[in-house]
C-alpha cells in the first residue's frame, strides 16, 4: 500500500487516508439515522455512544501527548494551532490539561450547590 502522507496547506505532513475514515464514520452515522425501529435504533445509538466515549478519551490523550511532543521540540502554540486547526490558546489548554470553559462552569456549579 502506498503511503498517503502529503503536506497540508501549512506544509505539515498529513495522512489523507484519515479523511476516508472520517467519511466512513459519517456514513455509519447516516445509516443509524435511517433505522426505523426505535428500539433497534436506540440500542445501536447506545453502542455507538459507548464507542465514541472511549474513542474520545483515547483521542484526547493522543492529541495532548502530540502537542506536548511538539512543544518539547520548540514548536510555538500558534504554529501548533495552525497545524492542527485549533486556536493557539486552546493548544495551551490541551497541553496543560486545563479545563475548558464549560468544564470550569460545571465545576463551579458543583462547588456552589448546597448539600441536601
Amino acid at each position: 500500500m502506498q503511503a498517503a502522507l502529503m503536506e497540508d496547506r501549512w506544509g505539515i505532513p498529513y495522512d489523507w487516508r484519515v479523511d476516508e475514515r472520517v467519511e466512513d464514520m459519517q456514513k455509519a452515522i447516516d445509516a443509524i439515522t435511517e433505522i426505523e425501529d426505535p428500539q433497534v435504533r436506540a440500542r445501536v445509538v447506545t453502542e455507538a455512544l459507548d464507542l465514541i466515549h472511549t474513542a474520545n478519551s483515547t483521542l484526547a490523550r493522543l492529541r495532548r501527548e502530540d502537542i506536548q511532543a511538539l512543544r518539547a521540540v520548540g514548536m510555538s502554540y500558534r504554529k501548533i494551532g495552525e497545524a492542527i486547526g485549533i486556536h493557539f490558546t486552546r493548544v495551551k489548554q490541551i497541553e496543560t490539561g486545563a479545563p475548558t470553559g464549560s468544564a470550569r462552569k460545571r465545576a463551579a456549579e458543583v462547588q456552589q450547590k448546597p448539600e441536601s
Side-chain angles (χ1 to χ4, degrees), residues 11 20 27 29 32 35 73 82 102 105 110:
E20 294 171 9
K27 287 177 187 174
I29 293 168
I32 291 170
I35 297 172
V73 296
E82 289 172 358
S102 59
K105 182 180 176 187
V110 168

Side-chain angles (χ1 to χ4, degrees), residues 11 21-22 39 42 66 92 98:
R21 301 297 75 83
V22 171
Q39 184 175 350
D66 291 339
K92 183 169 180 144

Side-chain angles (χ1 to χ4, degrees), residues 1-109:
M1 175 181 241
Q2 184 180 10
L5 272 181
M6 298 174 14
E7 289 186 357
D8 66 9
R9 65 182 178 194
W10 296 285
I12 305 295
Y14 183 79
D15 186 341
W16 293 98
R17 293 174 295 188
V18 172
D19 288 351
E20 294 171 9
R21 301 297 75 83
V22 171
E23 287 176 21
D24 291 345
M25 291 183 339
Q26 185 59 55
K27 287 177 187 174
I29 293 168
D30 292 343
I32 291 170
T33 64
E34 294 174 7
I35 297 172
E36 293 183 15
D37 183 314
Q39 184 175 350
V40 172
R41 184 168 61 197
R43 177 66 182 175
V44 171
V45 167
T46 299
E47 292 173 9
L49 288 170
D50 287 346
L51 178 60
I52 289 169
H53 176 73
T54 301
N56 189 51
S57 297
T58 301
L59 294 171
R61 178 184 50 78
L62 290 172
R63 181 171 66 171
R64 185 176 54 256
E65 290 171 358
D66 291 339
I67 287 171
Q68 290 168 340
L70 293 169
R71 290 289 298 147
V73 296
M75 197 170 193
S76 71
Y77 293 118
R78 191 172 301 274
K79 183 70 174 171
I80 294 169
E82 289 172 358
I84 67 175
I86 62 175
H87 196 273
F88 72 92
T89 57
R90 182 71 183 116
V91 173
K92 183 169 180 144
Q93 289 174 330
I94 293 167
E95 178 194 34
T96 62
T100 62
S102 59
R104 282 192 307 266
K105 182 180 176 187
R106 283 192 305 273
E109 288 171 354

